[in-house]
Amino acid sequence: KNEVEQSPQNLTAQEGEFITINCSYSVGISALHWLQQHPGGGIVSLFMLSSGKKKHGRLIATINIQEKHSSLHITASHPRDSAVYICAVEMDSNYQLIWGAGTKLIIKP
Amino acid sequence: DTGVSQNPRHKITKRGQNVTFRCDPISEHNRLYWYRQTLGQGPEFLTYFQNEAQLEKSRLLSDRFSAERPKGSFSTLEIQRTEQGDSAMYLCASSFYSTEAFFGQGTRLTVV
C-alpha cells in the first residue's frame, strides 16, 4: 500500500462544476502540500497545510490530521484548471516529501 | 529573484555519457531538493540539502548519481554512465526550512 493515496486518478468535469480531489496518507507528517503540474512539467505549489483549512481564490484545501486525510476543492471550475494535481506529505522524521500519484483533471467547456 | 532556475531545460545524451544539471534556488532558501519524475508517475525523492550538507539520499540514487551544493547556494546533479532508464524529468525545489517549497521548471533528460 502506498503511503500517500489520491483519488480519483482521473476526473473529467464540465466547466462550472465543483471539484473535489482526495488524499489519504499513512505516515506521520509535519505538513501536506497540494501542487499543480501542467503539461510540460512545471510544478506550482498551491497550498502547504499542517492543520485546518486554507483558501486561495477558487481553491480550498482542508486537512484532518486525526483521520490522515486532506481534500482539495475547486469551485466554479474552468478549463484552465485542467492539470495534474498532486498531494505530497512532508514526513515529520526527515522532511522528505512523499508524493501521491496525482489526479489528472480535465475541465470541458 | 525569479524563482528556482534549472539548467538546461532539455538534455539529450547518448547512453554511457555523463551529464550534469544545475539548480539555482531562491536566494534565501536554505533547503534544496532533487526529484525525478518519469512519464505518468509522481515525482520520486532523490536527495535534499540543508545549506551545504546533504542530509538525505534516496535508495534510488545509485552510485552513478551524485549531487553537490558546495556553497549552500546552487546545486548540481551529475549522472555518470547514463542508461536509458535515467530518462526522466529532474526537478529541483527549494524552501526555507519547512515552509512552502518552490519548484523549478525541471530538466528533461533523454538518453538515446
Side-chain angles (χ1 to χ4, degrees):
Chain A
K1 189 178 187 299
N2 293 332
E3 289 160 312
V4 181
E5 297 273 358
Q6 276 187 246
S7 62
Q9 278 189 303
N10 295 282
L11 179 57
T12 301
Q14 290 297 130
E15 183 174 356
E17 285 189 38
F18 181 80
I19 303 298
T20 296
I21 300 171
N22 295 300
C23 176
S24 296
Y25 55 92
S26 58
V27 294
I29 69 168
S30 55
L32 182 143
H33 301 252
W34 281 103
L35 307 110
Q36 181 191 56
Q37 186 171 33
H38 281 278
I43 290 180
V44 175
S45 177
L46 300 175
F47 296 103
M48 177 178 161
L49 293 163
S50 53
S51 65
K53 177 179 174 178
K54 286 189 177 179
K55 184 176 189 294
H56 181 69
R58 294 181 295 105
L59 300 177
I60 303 166
T62 64
I63 188 168
N64 185 317
I65 297 292
Q66 286 74 31
E67 294 185 3
K68 297 190 172 180
H69 181 269
S70 176
S71 294
L72 176 68
H73 305 284
I74 305 174
T75 61
S77 59
H78 190 276
R80 65 174 174 265
D81 297 327
S82 298
V84 175
Y85 291 84
I86 305 173
C87 167
V89 299
E90 188 173 314
M91 292 179 68
D92 59 8
S93 56
N94 61 12
Y95 309 112
Q96 180 185 143
L97 277 181
I98 300 177
W99 302 72
T103 294
K104 185 175 182 181
L105 175 66
I106 297 173
I107 304 296
K108 293 185 174 180
Chain B
D1 196 336
T2 56
V4 179
S5 176
Q6 288 188 247
N7 288 288
R9 293 290 307 277
H10 303 273
K11 178 72 177 178
I12 300 174
T13 191
K14 290 184 178 179
R15 190 174 52 185
Q17 297 293 305
N18 299 344
V19 293
T20 300
F21 311 139
R22 177 178 169 127
C23 172
D24 287 90
I26 292 172
S27 57
E28 61 267 26
H29 285 182
N30 60 346
R31 287 193 182 157
L32 187 148
Y33 309 80
W34 284 100
Y35 297 89
R36 179 176 68 185
Q37 185 176 26
T38 51
L39 202 62
Q41 303 294 317
E44 300 169 296
F45 170 80
L46 293 178
T47 189
Y48 99 94
F49 293 85
Q50 182 161 303
N51 300 312
E52 66 275 9
Q54 189 173 17
L55 295 187
E56 188 82 16
K57 192 174 171 180
S58 165
R59 289 188 300 274
L60 292 172
L61 222 61
S62 75
D63 291 343
R64 297 184 298 106
F65 287 72
S66 62
E68 293 183 342
R69 195 184 183 198
K71 297 180 181 178
S73 56
F74 74 91
S75 176
T76 56
L77 177 69
E78 182 184 14
I79 309 173
Q80 296 182 322
R81 304 181 302 282
T82 52
E83 301 172 357
Q84 285 190 317
D86 298 332
S87 296
M89 175 75 86
Y90 290 84
L91 295 163
C92 174
S94 71
S95 68
F96 181 71
Y97 289 108
S98 289
T99 59
E100 186 177 357
F102 291 81
F103 285 81
Q105 289 294 304
T107 294
R108 184 170 296 282
L109 172 67
T110 302
V111 181
V112 297

